[in-house]
Amino acid sequence: MPPLAETVTNVGYVQESVFETVAAKTKIYAQLDRLVPDAAPIGSSSSGIPASAFTADCATRSRMLIAHPVNPPYLVPL
């Protein structure tokens, strides 16, 4: 698997789908904050953790959002 920096070079959008914990999301978002091109939004598949919980220290948090495919999950009977 290529390194994260190589994976997100020249992308138009990133969708994060790491384990559903604040620690895991904080760790990946700290990396994405430095690596993703400035114009690319970063979506999270978080189903219950607000983006503010794992983007607080990110310089580019204004482009980070929740983009779960079935949100809010408690209203979608899957």
Side-chain angles (χ1 to χ4, degrees):
M1 181 172 290
L4 184 60
E6 184 180 323
T7 303
V8 299
T9 300
N10 298 319
V11 297
Y13 175 76
V14 171
Q15 180 67 32
E16 164 275 310
S17 298
V18 300
F19 195 67
E20 185 79 357
T21 66
V22 172
K25 291 183 180 297
T26 299
K27 182 177 178 180
I28 193 70
Y29 268 78
Q31 296 173 53
L32 293 171
D33 191 36
R34 295 186 313 271
L35 299 171
V36 174
D38 291 339
I42 304 169
S44 175
S45 291
S46 177
S47 61
I49 303 171
S52 60
F54 51 86
T55 64
D57 295 327
C58 295
T60 60
R61 71 186 298 209
S62 63
R63 65 184 169 134
M64 300 172 176
L65 60 135
I66 301 296
H68 192 281
V70 285
N71 210 5
Y74 57 86
L75 291 179
V76 182
L78 290 178

